[in-house]
Amino acid sequence: MAQPTVLFQDDFRSFSIGPLPFDREHSAMGEYHFVQQPGYTGGWYDPITNCNYRGPNWIVTACDGVHYMEQMRVRNPLTHNVCPVLTAGDEDWGDYTFRVRMRALCTTEEAGLLFRYQTSLMHYAFFLNNGKAQLYRVEKKERTLLAQCDFAYDCDTLYTLEASCCGAHLRCSVNGRLLLETQDERYATGKVALAAYMPAQYTDVLVTATPEAAAAFTARRDARAARVAEKRRLYAQPKLWKIINLENFGASRQIRFGHLTGGTDWYFVIAQHQKRVFKERYCNISCLTAVSIETGRVLWQTGEPSALAVNQDTTCDLPFQIYDINNDGIDEVIVAQDFHLKILDGRTGRELRSMPTPFNDDPADQILGIEFQKHAFDRLNVDAIRIVNVSGKDHPSDILIKDRYARLWVYDDQFNLLWKFTHNNTGHFPYAYDFNGDGKDEIFSCYNMISSDGKLVWQLPISTDHTDEIVIGRFDPDVDDDLIAIVSGWEGFMIVDKQGNIRARDINGHGQRISVANYCPDRPGLQICTTTYWENQGIVYLYDCKGREIWHQEPKCNGNVIAPVNWQGDGTELILLNGNPELGGLIDGEGDQVVRFPADGHPDMCAEVIDLTGDARDEIVLWDAKHMYIYTQDRPCTLTDREYIPLKYPHCNSSNYRGEFSFARWRRR
């Protein structure tokens, strides 16, 4: 009999004892920043994150010359039953045997291994659990017990666990004794992972396959590589267009683009901040810097710049927008700072108008999101700003401001209060849209539809979590009306009609970001892309126009902004993950990485999509606190008779919590 082929093995001796790299802040930076923790991880990736965690998820320990990978967490009821996971391998692995030695340091809950792992929410799980051996199929929130038997084990012994998969035939053994056997066809390929709800130690990981199965895997991998290489040949590749030095005024994804001097010249304003009271709930903008994209020179600056990361990096929105609010052809900067709402001259940064923010006169213990049930300040510390049109003017000029999670205020451009709204949760960034065609915006905020005069019209029958991002439009050709697509944390991805009926829903992890565009031109309507962050992070899904899943993948990284990119100018959009040369780039509607960024030392923490050169195709802006790199295409658009100029999210309402969209629009050249 032919010897099996080794696909992967690890005894963890290449690791020094100590923690695997982890986010010491357990912060939300990875929601829309690409953040890699420094340090050695070997061939492993940890897809689990949680704000309730402290310390590392996994540590390497040693005893009698043996190195162990040790899971450190205790099951936490606040984490939606998330299982700590450490994954390795290749998504194209098919038939194989996964063997590992494990010691369950606590025997009362599940500890074991995962196989045919596609994401941390989609796999098979072989667990030892409180005197039993169990085999599960895990599919998002559903855990299906496929097989189970009694098995006595203790906390002092290393047991050899083995899972073998051949087609639909699944077998699970301990110490060479077959315990569980079943048939299941849900997952045909996937990686491997260590997984335990309570502390456990692992060593001597070995994944093998028969020579035939190994050859089949190699053929699948090579075919995928060839297919992707051929696609890449057909796409324009990134060409470096600009490098801008951000000196000491740089920041994370706190940037706005506009025409600060009128005309067509592009500028950006970048904001630094100071954190106050509790985490990042009460940030105050400490420095605004306006910069010419053409020259890279500073146009103006207000406040005092800082080289400290604590002033540069934040995980929330900062309250500022660029918009021509007085309709004079020159953009202004609308900003909340030091308990004042201000309008600044875009050319100089000089204050044109200012008003104090409203008093916090609501009982703090009766509204959401107020830390410690106390107002930290007498006046409102503004969380976000949006330009809306509840007045029905020809030129929108109303200003919506909000606190973190509970209240909205809307003012006209002269700072007259139009209305205030409080009902349950506001979510992060409300959406303004004229649903009833009367020329005035309604406001969709978290689960609430609010009339143009500030009254509650309807609410979704959901009372937990909150909506992170929203897209509204006509993306289903079978529905001649506007639809609302949202991601709302562990309440999932939803498609809702404008009467408040939920037409589709998938609880696919903690839904964090969403985009809608023509990603698959061979399918009817538009497609919807979502990604997750908290707990099971970094899972990207693509859905059709009716909310049916097309595919899923776990790109092994955070910070996937999943923004639509008009890269070719041919009407088909690509999806921007992040700026990393290896893990990021642009993927197509089949999930293939068809455009890669060069390994030229560019920053990859922040990414934005915007047409800056004027040819209607998008540029990609990548930056960190020190430098900004802007990439365009290395070849012209092949269309000569018409130009694709899709309708995208307006620059005047920028937010880290905006759902991205790209709706088709063409014009003759």
Side-chain angles (χ1 to χ4, degrees), residues 383-586:
D383 176 71
I385 294 173
R386 184 182 182 104
I387 307 302
V388 302
N389 189 18
V390 301
S391 301
K393 299 176 183 175
D394 291 338
H395 180 74
S397 59
D398 301 325
I399 304 171
L400 181 152
I401 63 175
K402 65 183 288 289
D403 64 2
R404 182 68 168 178
Y405 288 123
R407 297 166 295 173
L408 311 175
W409 292 258
V410 179
Y411 295 86
D412 66 17
D413 60 340
Q414 301 302 309
F415 294 149
N416 297 305
L417 179 64
L418 300 179
W419 49 261
K420 175 185 175 183
F421 179 85
T422 304
H423 180 69
N424 295 337
N425 204 310
T426 63
H428 280 291
F429 197 63
Y431 201 109
Y433 192 83
D434 181 12
F435 282 93
N436 59 16
D438 66 351
K440 301 178 182 180
D441 283 340
E442 285 70 49
I443 308 295
F444 184 68
S445 177
C446 194
Y447 309 128
N448 304 314
M449 180 63 75
I450 307 167
S451 68
S452 59
D453 58 356
K455 304 296 191 298
L456 180 65
V457 179
W458 52 256
Q459 61 183 326
L460 295 179
I462 301 170
S463 59
T464 60
D465 224 314
H466 58 257
T467 295
D468 282 292
E469 295 192 348
I470 306 163
V471 176
I472 298 175
R474 300 193 177 192
F475 42 82
D476 183 346
D478 295 329
V479 180
D480 188 23
D481 209 343
D482 301 308
L483 294 172
I484 307 167
I486 61 177
V487 281
S488 303
W490 276 99
E491 291 295 340
F493 154 62
M494 288 172 268
I495 297 177
V496 180
D497 64 28
K498 64 183 186 181
Q499 289 77 38
N501 302 302
I502 298 175
R503 303 174 69 99
R505 187 176 188 182
D506 187 19
I507 299 178
N508 58 10
H510 182 283
Q512 186 65 47
R513 308 220 65 187
I514 190 168
S515 65
V516 178
N518 183 27
Y519 296 129
C520 303
D522 58 332
R523 290 179 175 269
L526 302 181
Q527 292 72 53
I528 305 162
C529 186
T530 75
T531 190
T532 63
Y533 185 64
W534 290 113
E535 285 92 29
N536 308 86
Q537 74 167 345
I539 305 173
V540 179
Y541 299 90
L542 191 70
Y543 297 88
D544 68 11
C545 61
K546 298 186 183 300
R548 298 172 298 209
E549 184 187 317
I550 300 172
W551 52 254
H552 56 264
Q553 60 175 259
E554 189 178 272
K556 298 199 304 185
C557 61
N558 55 28
N560 296 312
V561 297
I562 61 167
V565 184
N566 174 23
W567 188 249
Q568 297 288 89
D570 61 1
T572 299
E573 305 277 343
L574 300 179
I575 302 168
L576 171 64
L577 295 181
N578 58 69
N580 186 262
E582 178 185 357
L583 299 175
L586 310 182

Side-chain angles (χ1 to χ4, degrees), residues 192-204:
V192 297
L194 314 177
Y197 283 96
M198 299 292 285
Q201 294 177 330
Y202 297 87
T203 191
D204 295 336

Side-chain angles (χ1 to χ4, degrees), residues 39-235:
Y40 177 69
T41 59
W44 299 88
Y45 166 65
D46 179 358
I48 306 300
T49 185
N50 195 283
C51 62
N52 295 300
Y53 284 167
R54 297 293 179 269
N57 296 345
W58 297 84
I59 63 171
V60 176
T61 59
C63 183
D64 297 330
V66 178
H67 277 211
Y68 299 95
M69 184 64 70
E70 184 172 321
Q71 196 287 107
M72 287 281 295
R73 298 288 172 210
V74 172
R75 196 176 207 142
N76 187 336
L78 300 177
T79 60
H80 299 90
N81 202 35
V82 64
C83 183
V85 168
L86 194 64
T87 182
D90 194 291
E91 61 189 356
D92 283 322
W93 285 352
D95 296 345
Y96 57 81
T97 297
F98 175 23
R99 183 181 303 125
V100 63
R101 291 205 297 156
M102 184 195 79
R103 177 187 176 195
L105 300 178
C106 173
T107 61
T108 59
E109 301 190 41
E110 299 96 321
L113 57 84
L114 311 181
F115 61 104
R116 284 191 174 165
Y117 173 107
Q118 303 194 351
T119 76
S120 61
L121 284 173
M122 303 184 79
H123 51 256
Y124 295 114
F126 174 32
F127 286 137
L128 300 185
N129 178 19
N130 200 23
K132 295 185 182 298
Q134 299 172 326
L135 174 59
Y136 285 95
R137 179 180 65 240
V138 178
E139 186 164 8
K140 299 174 184 171
K141 288 198 73 175
E142 299 297 321
R143 284 181 25 139
T144 303
L145 184 62
L146 299 177
Q148 177 177 260
C149 71
D150 292 333
F151 179 74
Y153 66 104
D154 59 55
C155 66
D156 301 315
T157 305
L158 275 167
Y159 297 88
T160 299
L161 276 63
E162 182 178 288
S164 177
C165 45
C166 182
H169 193 191
L170 312 178
R171 296 162 54 95
C172 297
S173 305
V174 176
N175 293 343
R177 173 187 164 196
L178 178 63
L179 297 179
L180 305 172
E181 188 170 13
T182 191
Q183 299 281 124
D184 193 84
E185 298 180 343
R186 178 63 183 93
Y187 304 125
T189 61
K191 305 173 187 179
V192 297
L194 314 177
Y197 283 96
M198 299 292 285
Q201 294 177 330
Y202 297 87
T203 191
D204 295 336
V205 174
L206 179 65
V207 183
T208 61
T210 65
E212 295 79 11
F217 152 65
T218 300
R220 283 192 300 274
R221 182 192 61 192
D222 292 349
R224 178 193 294 264
R227 184 183 75 247
V228 174
E230 176 60 20
K231 287 183 177 182
R232 288 175 182 166
R233 188 183 66 79
L234 300 175
Y235 280 96

